[in-house]
Amino acid sequence: MSEAPVMRVVQAREGGVLTLTLDNPARRNALSVPLREQLFEALEAAQGDVSVRAVVVTGSGGTFCSGGDISGMDVRDAEQGRERMRRTHRIIRLMVGGRLPIVAAVEGWCVGAGLSVACASDTIVASAEARFMAGFNKVGLMADLGLPFTLPARIGVARARQVLFYAEPMNAAEAERIGLVDRVVPKGTALEAAQDIARGLAAQAALPIALTKRMLAEGLDAALERERDWQTMCFLSADHAEGRDAFMAKREPVFGGG
């Protein structure tokens, strides 16, 4: 009998800094439903722990996150789609509007839902060999997990269109140039650099940071509600069914516009 694949969020604590590591090596840290639930639970617990002053989010095995777990995307009706989005949006609300400053440490690929998680963070530190891509439209979906809100806030609407529409890979230097990434560091040092930044944030007065995050998050709830409805429409579309099948079969999709 084969063992169940590792699919967990590893927690490590150093002083006031909590590091959360996405660990789903079989799928390059794809954000499966179990992983999303664990990430939410860890973030929610941290929000209620006054001894936690900052959070670092990273991925194991030299990859930040390869996106959503396509194999687990089996939405059959509108209510199921809306519930799936509601549960995932809890993560984004905590990251963007919660009291704790969050630093993303990106090594390797940061794709799709992984890009959404990174952009929900306050600071993104990337390895010089990190790569970024949206990629949602390759499987017949719109960008989600708040990315239509957080990405334009980082790089502007015009550049966000280019990232979301064309799904082209972007290296760390280009990501830093357009403002997607805040700091580029040598390969293998993103986590160390992110934790150093988090320690600096943890030493600051907590209330001004929390209030500033809340103010900058204004408009997020409305954006997530629209996303909840519209992504559900995409989940139930023929194009998403084709995109999912093509991804699993490792072939190019043929979209019909439905």
Side-chain angles (χ1 to χ4, degrees):
M1 184 175 179
S2 61
E3 295 183 0
V6 172
M7 199 177 296
R8 61 187 180 177
V9 173
V10 179
Q11 302 186 41
R13 183 76 183 272
E14 181 186 347
V17 176
L18 173 66
T19 298
L20 303 177
T21 303
L22 306 177
D23 188 27
N24 184 4
R27 296 192 178 277
R28 294 188 299 167
N29 303 330
L31 209 59
S32 63
V33 171
L35 211 61
R36 296 177 192 216
E37 290 295 319
Q38 290 184 45
L39 181 58
F40 167 71
E41 290 168 4
L43 288 168
E44 185 177 49
Q47 290 287 328
D49 184 346
V50 295
S51 69
V52 177
R53 302 290 294 272
V55 174
V56 174
V57 178
T58 192
S60 67
T63 297
F64 183 74
C65 175
S66 63
D69 188 351
I70 305 301
S71 66
M73 291 182 185
D74 186 23
V75 175
R76 300 179 182 178
D77 57 53
E79 188 55 34
Q80 186 182 9
R82 283 176 52 79
E83 176 61 12
R84 179 188 176 97
M85 297 309 300
R86 183 193 70 81
R87 296 183 71 83
T88 302
H89 285 164
R90 298 177 304 168
I91 297 169
I92 304 306
R93 286 188 165 94
L94 286 176
M95 292 186 71
V96 177
R99 71 173 182 87
L100 292 168
I102 297 178
V103 184
V106 179
E107 296 276 354
W109 282 99
C110 178
V111 179
L115 181 60
S116 300
V117 169
C119 287
S121 305
D122 300 296
T123 299
I124 301 176
V125 179
S127 153
E129 296 192 11
R131 296 293 182 268
F132 300 84
M133 187 173 71
F136 297 89
N137 56 7
K138 292 179 179 290
V139 290
L141 295 176
M142 63 175 284
D144 63 9
L145 276 69
L147 194 61
F149 178 88
T150 58
L151 184 63
R154 275 192 161 268
I155 66 175
V157 173
R159 284 195 171 115
R161 284 194 179 100
Q162 310 313 304
V163 172
L164 297 177
F165 289 174
Y166 299 105
E168 295 176 346
M170 183 186 310
N171 63 32
E174 176 65 7
E176 184 181 38
R177 186 187 72 81
I178 69 172
L180 175 59
V181 163
D182 299 298
R183 185 178 301 183
V184 175
V185 297
K187 180 182 178 181
T189 67
L191 178 57
E192 179 183 357
Q195 289 173 330
D196 187 54
I197 291 171
R199 283 190 287 270
L201 289 166
Q204 296 186 35
L207 183 59
I209 290 177
L211 295 177
T212 300
K213 281 176 64 77
R214 187 179 302 173
M215 180 169 286
L216 294 175
E218 288 183 359
L220 175 68
D221 286 339
L224 292 180
E225 281 305 305
R226 288 195 298 272
E227 179 188 300
R228 186 180 177 192
D229 290 331
W230 295 350
Q231 188 70 305
T232 295
M233 292 171 60
C234 293
F235 278 138
L236 300 175
S237 69
D239 276 348
H240 173 54
E242 164 62 13
R244 186 179 64 244
D245 290 347
F247 179 88
M248 298 304 293
K250 294 182 170 55
R251 62 171 174 82
E252 286 298 314
V254 180
F255 294 126

